[in-house]
Amino acid sequence: MNMVTEVSPKFSSVIRALDSPLRVELVKILLEKPRSAPDIYQTLITTGFDIGDRDTVYKALQMLVDAGILEKYYEMAVKRICYRVATKRILIDIPTLDLTAST
Amino acid sequence: MNMVTEVSPKFSSVIRALDSPLRVELVKILLEKPRSAPDIYQTLITTGFDIGDRDTVYKALQMLVDAGILEKYYEMAVKRICYRVATKRILIDIPTLDLTAST
């Protein structure tokens, strides 16, 4: 039997990144405004979101960066690495199981 | 702090449904042509896909139906319930964390 198509690595990494309440919460927090990692961590605690440790949050941020949903940049004003949302729309084409992200 | 938006149940169910090699494989198999559940199960075995039991496959199919990615219908020609792909495009809007599926 012929497989129709392979799933692109992008498809897997984006879907996996969005399949987590913590990671979706991080996107929500960054939709408000870009923030540094310590600011994000503090915001999660303030909103009462049930997280493990700092490392869990940093790994979750990195997974979203790797998937292209977030990006890291150096914010001159606060002299810190900050995170912001890098993708506005994600289109999944089912017949090809392909995924396109746009800004 | 104001949360930007709640994630829709549709968002969660579609993303969850696609975050699984078995479920993506089921979509691939059904992109070729609609099939009955026993036919799908047999096809998986033939392609050497590592599955558990029949029940695992049927639950995976149902999760894809619940997410609106597949649909069940009665196929007159073979007098069986069959599955087919019901969605062509899925659009995820990041600013609203909303998801739209179209046929």
Side-chain angles (χ1 to χ4, degrees):
Chain A
M1 202 188 96
N2 296 317
M3 286 289 92
V4 174
T5 177
E6 288 304 308
V7 176
S8 68
K10 185 145 193 78
F11 180 95
S12 306
S13 74
V14 169
I15 296 292
R16 173 57 49 91
L18 292 175
D19 190 15
S20 146
L22 170 60
R23 292 191 293 271
V24 170
E25 189 68 23
L26 293 173
V27 174
K28 281 189 196 176
I29 286 172
L30 292 167
L31 280 166
E32 293 197 328
K33 62 173 186 182
R35 296 171 193 267
S36 68
D39 182 4
I40 292 165
Y41 185 72
Q42 207 51 53
T43 304
L44 276 175
I45 290 174
T46 308
T47 55
F49 200 85
D50 183 24
I51 35 164
D53 54 10
R54 227 167 263 261
D55 203 44
T56 306
V57 175
Y58 296 172
K59 277 184 186 159
L61 286 168
Q62 191 56 48
M63 198 185 288
L64 287 161
V65 170
D66 292 342
I69 298 166
L70 301 184
E71 63 187 6
K72 280 195 263 197
Y73 69 105
Y74 184 74
E75 176 60 64
M76 301 287 282
V78 294
K79 290 182 181 165
R80 271 182 184 282
I81 300 288
C82 284
Y83 292 81
R84 65 185 163 204
V85 176
T87 296
K88 285 241 169 56
R89 290 153 56 101
I90 295 166
L91 181 65
I92 301 169
D93 185 63
I94 294 290
T96 58
L97 287 169
D98 200 9
L99 183 147
T100 316
S102 58
T103 52
Chain B
M1 203 188 95
N2 297 316
M3 285 289 91
V4 175
T5 177
E6 290 302 309
V7 176
S8 68
K10 185 144 191 78
F11 180 95
S12 306
S13 74
V14 169
I15 296 293
R16 172 58 48 93
L18 293 175
D19 189 15
S20 147
L22 169 59
R23 292 192 292 272
V24 170
E25 189 68 22
L26 292 173
V27 174
K28 281 188 196 175
I29 287 172
L30 292 167
L31 280 166
E32 293 196 330
K33 61 173 186 181
R35 296 171 191 267
S36 67
D39 183 3
I40 292 165
Y41 185 74
Q42 207 50 53
T43 304
L44 276 175
I45 290 173
T46 309
T47 55
F49 200 84
D50 182 22
I51 35 164
D53 53 11
R54 224 168 265 261
D55 203 43
T56 305
V57 176
Y58 296 173
K59 278 183 186 160
L61 286 168
Q62 191 55 47
M63 198 183 289
L64 288 161
V65 170
D66 292 342
I69 297 166
L70 301 184
E71 63 187 5
K72 280 195 263 199
Y73 69 104
Y74 185 75
E75 177 61 63
M76 301 288 279
V78 293
K79 291 183 181 164
R80 271 181 185 282
I81 299 289
C82 283
Y83 292 81
R84 66 185 163 204
V85 176
T87 296
K88 285 239 170 60
R89 290 153 55 100
I90 295 166
L91 181 66
I92 300 169
D93 184 64
I94 293 290
T96 57
L97 287 168
D98 200 11
L99 182 149
T100 316
S102 57
T103 54

